[in-house]
Amino acid sequence: MKDPKGTNLTWHTGEVDLVARRRAHGHRGATLWFTGLSGSGKSTIAHRVERRLIERGAFAYVLDGDNVRHGLNRDLGFSPADRVENIRRVGEVAKLFTDAGALALTAFISPYRADRAAVRERFDAGAFVEVYIDTPLEVCESRDPKGLYRKARAGEIADFTGVSAPYEPPEAPEIRVRTAEHDVDACAAQILGWLDARGYLDGDEGETER
Ligand code: ADP
């Protein structure tokens, strides 16, 4: 591995490989990267999927935007550079979870295609699953679960995605979830069905490509 800062770092390969980890957990490691507007349902659906996976005995964990900003990323604000770094760090943490054999679920708006593509690049084929929570802006705004759209429209929040900052929808997400048409349980079931159908939830290596 490249030595990023010339400090003689080496990459230690352990004694446990992906196959052994997969067998131990009963499923493969992967990151489900949820993206969508504020209020689209990323967090709600990610937590429902996490619960269903845990009920099945899986090793699943949600990395949630606000929670990560309390700790790992508490030094970061909302400037363009800090937003990029926020997503990069979360991507790296999700990758560590994935390498550990977990099903990591991330719930970040992550509005820019380039940032999502940079995270995807860090993963092996099939280990990064982009989940587009496709909810029309009007629906997100009418839900306004945190009152943020109201504040953004009143000019109290600058650069608010969908109002005064762009959202670049995924062009080819692995999963597209339409929350205006299906309730939370149905959306979670769609995601679990996708994983199941592609062998992600099997403990033995199978076909897990798209
Ligand atoms: P985000 O994490 O994308 O900002 P949240 O999950 O915090 O969004 O909020 C979504 C809101 O929409 C919640 O109040 C949730 O109850 C509501 N909601 C209504 N229908 C759905 C659905 N089908 N899927 C997800 N959330 C839904």
Side-chain angles (χ1 to χ4, degrees), residues 126-145:
F128 181 88
V129 178
E130 195 170 21
V131 182
Y132 176 29
I133 306 299
D134 186 0
T135 307
L137 176 64
E138 313 80 72
V139 175
C140 297
E141 197 157 355
S142 69
R143 290 179 184 163
D144 207 8

Side-chain angles (χ1 to χ4, degrees), residues 37-45 143 145-146 179 182-184 187:
L37 293 167
S38 178
S40 60
K42 299 179 297 298
S43 182
T44 303
I45 298 169
R143 290 179 184 163
K146 299 173 204 153
T179 73
H182 308 286
D183 68 13
V184 179
C187 294

